[in-house]
Amino acid sequence: MTRVSTPFAPLALAALLLSACASAVTPTPPIATGPTPPPPGTTVPPPPSTLPATTMSFSSLAGWSEDDHLAALNAFRAGCGVAKDPALARVCGLAKATVIQDEQGARAFLEANFRPEPVGEEGLLTAYFAPQYEARMSRNAEFTVPVRGLPTDLVVLDLGAFEPGFVGKKITGHVEGPTFVPYPARAEIEAVPTDKPLAWMRPEELFFLQIQGSGILVLPDGRRVRAAFAGHNGKPFVGIANAMRDQGLLPDNNTSGDAIRTWLAGHRGPEADAIMQLNPRYVFFKMAADDGKEAIGAAGVPLPAGRAIAVDPSKHGYGGLYWLDAAAPKLSGAFPVYRRLAVALDTGGAIKGEVRADLYMGSGNAAGAEAGRVRHALRLYRLVPRS
């Protein structure tokens, strides 16, 4: 993160602070899911659990007995060290100190040390992954867009340093003469050549790399490097799926990641660029050696595939353990339900609200294909440490 001194006039600073906090985040609306009769012979999964916290038991969680509790406990052990809550930290220490190597013991530990508590109403589950893409070290006819490093003129201002009421509020921009102005959007950034590209990629693959936030780049000689998140231009993330559906570019039930990427690849040039530029957010990267481990989340620890979620950090603390009960998929080809324990270890630009989670699927093409089809109605339950 680059910081510089900025010569603000007092009135200009006041206007900047007020305008930076004038807009409120709109919560993700609930997803209406009407009942659909199943085909003959279909096994209908049990409905989501709805008991209040005072009467809820683990047996009332739909799918609880079928989960892999040992895998869940191991994921909790790996990530719970980042928890700030003293009660959760206590259970974390106990989990790490207790030798448990079988499913029965793991389930018993979880049930003895936690109780389930419903979180809010119905929300949304999506998924993400760590992609692997081909890249080149020089531009050619196919690999036409540069992977850009963090610009030296990009400045992130912590408004809490100016006014205690704005603690936690940050704005991103750059200095033009005596003025601090917002950083350019995607279209403006892409219009300016860079003289220090980190690598070159296909346009639609760079776009998806930016959505995921990090990934592995594979070079022609077999070398693998990790493109890690370095920062962004401060603009809000805007998904393009709805716009593509509304413009008739994709059908309503097939706006998966694969479908979007295929369309963009088939329309490379001004047509695809115009669609991608509907998302003004632009992500910058830094290169690191590929250590073969899973991606690192915002909590600073590797993400266990299938057992980590990105959450809104203003609503949930990192290291917490949650039960996902997600059904009623909106996209074709999706698995019907996702019911499992997962640890909150990451966040994302589109992950806002109390009942909103993004499930990390792992790395590679198979993980990407599954992640791109997850858009399920979500019931979320927090596992609260027993006193």
Side-chain angles (χ1 to χ4, degrees):
M1 182 184 298
T2 306
R3 296 182 182 273
V4 299
S5 299
T6 308
F8 287 105
L11 290 178
L13 175 58
L16 173 63
L17 296 176
L18 291 174
S19 63
C21 300
S23 61
V25 176
T26 302
T28 302
I31 297 175
T33 56
T36 300
T42 300
T43 299
V44 180
S49 311
T50 56
L51 293 176
T54 54
T55 60
M56 176 165 283
S57 64
F58 281 100
S59 61
S60 66
L61 295 175
W64 172 255
S65 61
E66 287 77 42
D67 195 23
D68 185 340
H69 301 91
L70 182 59
L73 179 60
N74 287 336
F76 176 67
R77 286 165 165 165
C80 64
V82 302
K84 303 298 184 185
D85 176 66
L88 193 59
R90 174 185 57 80
V91 179
C92 177
L94 182 61
K96 291 182 177 182
T98 305
V99 178
I100 301 174
Q101 299 178 334
D102 62 88
E103 168 67 16
Q104 183 177 359
R107 178 174 175 176
F109 178 90
L110 292 168
E111 293 179 351
N113 288 280
F114 291 99
R115 59 177 177 83
E117 178 181 277
V119 178
E121 300 298 328
E122 188 176 275
L124 176 67
L125 178 72
T126 53
Y128 67 115
F129 73 113
Q132 296 182 22
Y133 295 128
E134 290 184 66
R136 301 290 185 268
M137 296 310 296
S138 58
R139 190 182 192 277
N140 64 29
E142 186 176 4
F143 294 80
T144 58
V145 292
V147 181
R148 299 174 188 251
L150 193 67
T152 57
D153 67 338
L154 186 146
V155 181
V156 179
L157 286 180
D158 184 349
L159 298 182
F162 298 92
E163 173 57 52
F166 295 143
V167 170
K169 301 286 187 180
K170 297 181 181 181
I171 55 174
T172 302
H174 66 133
V175 178
E176 287 186 359
T179 308
F180 186 74
V181 298
Y183 211 78
R186 173 181 295 275
E188 298 171 78
I189 293 172
E190 292 178 336
V192 178
T194 176
D195 58 353
K196 295 181 179 179
L198 302 178
W200 294 86
M201 294 182 65
R202 300 180 179 102
E204 67 280 358
E205 292 181 344
L206 175 63
F207 183 78
F208 271 82
L209 178 67
Q210 292 176 318
I211 292 175
Q212 304 303 328
S214 66
I216 301 298
L217 302 185
V218 182
L219 301 174
D221 61 4
R223 284 184 297 145
R224 297 163 58 88
V225 294
R226 183 179 296 277
F229 176 87
H232 62 73
N233 62 343
K235 302 297 184 185
F237 172 84
V238 177
I240 62 173
N242 288 343
M244 296 182 73
R245 178 201 61 200
D246 294 344
Q247 294 180 31
L249 305 178
L250 292 174
D252 183 46
N253 69 341
N254 193 22
T255 56
S256 68
D258 278 348
I260 293 172
R261 187 164 48 249
T262 298
W263 188 94
L264 293 173
H267 297 79
R268 283 182 193 151
E271 193 175 3
D273 291 344
I275 293 296
M276 291 186 286
Q277 288 168 2
L278 294 174
N279 176 22
R281 172 166 289 194
Y282 194 92
V283 173
F284 303 99
F285 295 95
K286 56 187 176 183
M287 295 302 187
D290 175 27
D291 56 8
K293 296 180 180 179
E294 292 288 357
I296 304 295
V301 297
L303 302 172
R307 293 289 175 176
I309 51 173
V311 295
D312 184 340
S314 71
K315 306 294 184 182
H316 305 284
Y318 293 139
L321 193 56
Y322 293 83
W323 177 256
L324 309 178
D325 185 351
K330 299 299 181 183
L331 301 177
S332 62
F335 289 128
V337 294
Y338 285 91
R339 287 172 176 148
R340 66 182 67 179
L341 284 170
V343 188
L345 293 174
D346 205 0
T347 189
I351 311 305
K352 302 295 182 184
E354 188 177 38
V355 190
R356 179 73 175 91
D358 207 22
L359 179 62
Y360 177 68
M361 292 301 189
S363 60
N365 294 336
E370 182 177 357
R373 290 175 169 80
V374 179
R375 190 173 182 85
H376 291 56
L378 173 66
R379 294 282 182 174
L380 187 64
Y381 302 85
R382 179 185 291 109
L383 265 61
V384 179
R386 295 186 186 272
S387 57

